[in-house]
Amino acid sequence: LDSFSGQGISIYDAEGQLARKPYPAVRADIEEVIKRMRAWGVEAGMRIGILSTNWYEFILFDIALLELRCTSLAFPEEFGNKTSQQLIDDYGLNLLLLAKKDAWPATAAGQWTAYIDAENPAETRVRPVSTEAWDEEFIPTIAFSSGSSGKIKGMTINPHGVEDWIPKFYHLFEV
């Protein structure tokens, strides 16, 4: 990021105004998120769900999960009618991340959940689920899509698929 220190991303701030966030500030925010998650007991190989609108905080946590080598499950709005416990049990999550400012999910913070945009209790911790039974290969993301069938399904996105896809995609556009 040092070579891009004069560049950044555009985000909407707390007041809904478009703001510019330089990459070094984004990196510092990601480092802070990593510290928070490590304090909760997050470590490599864990499954962490994110049920949130695509806020700035969502992006920070998603990138931090990649760095921590966790599998992120980004649940779309269709999962907002499930309880936190249903999502945790059904998908073997160690932790479910929620946005307090989201109004649509029926879920609420509780055991094995944490807010990405608000303070959490000091006792916030991950669920102690063994990761030994899961594949040994790092799976960074399980994405959900209805695709052409109209029925939501989870798709594993692994490094090999991404490595194969990026060069093909890259050549489609002038970069």
Side-chain angles (χ1 to χ4, degrees):
L1 285 176
D2 291 337
S3 61
F4 299 104
S5 62
Q7 298 178 23
I9 64 171
S10 296
I11 62 167
Y12 287 98
D13 63 19
E15 291 79 40
Q17 300 298 312
L18 192 60
R20 187 100 172 129
K21 190 96 169 177
Y23 283 138
V26 174
R27 181 70 202 160
D29 291 344
I30 292 168
E31 291 296 330
E32 186 58 36
V33 165
I34 289 171
K35 282 192 333 193
R36 285 174 59 192
M37 287 199 293
R38 283 189 174 141
W40 299 334
V42 173
E43 56 188 48
M46 290 187 164
R47 286 183 174 204
I48 311 296
I50 307 175
L51 180 62
S52 168
T53 302
N54 193 356
W55 311 103
Y56 175 64
E57 293 86 356
F58 178 101
I59 295 166
L60 296 178
F61 275 83
D62 201 33
I63 293 171
L65 289 170
L66 280 172
E67 286 208 23
L68 290 168
R69 296 187 59 78
C70 293
T71 299
S72 71
L73 290 86
F75 296 108
E77 193 169 330
E78 290 86 351
F79 286 80
N81 63 348
K82 295 185 177 268
T83 67
S84 299
Q85 198 59 53
Q86 283 175 310
L87 292 171
I88 290 166
D89 291 341
D90 290 352
Y91 295 94
L93 301 179
N94 296 94
L95 185 68
L96 177 62
L97 302 170
L98 307 168
K100 190 170 188 170
K101 61 187 166 189
D102 275 333
W104 53 268
T107 58
Q111 189 175 29
W112 306 315
T113 63
Y115 286 123
I116 63 174
D117 60 343
E119 290 298 316
N120 290 285
E123 63 271 7
T124 299
R125 294 288 179 269
V126 296
R127 177 178 173 214
V129 176
S130 172
T131 58
E132 291 176 21
W134 300 338
D135 289 338
E136 291 189 22
E137 181 181 8
F138 173 53
I139 298 171
T141 303
I142 297 176
F144 295 90
S145 173
S146 60
S148 59
S149 72
K151 183 175 176 158
I152 292 182
K153 56 197 152 291
M155 300 172 291
T156 300
I157 300 174
N158 66 38
H160 302 296
V162 173
E163 289 168 4
D164 183 56
W165 179 78
I166 287 176
K168 293 172 184 167
F169 182 78
Y170 180 83
H171 293 293
L172 294 175
F173 301 95
E174 286 187 37
V175 179

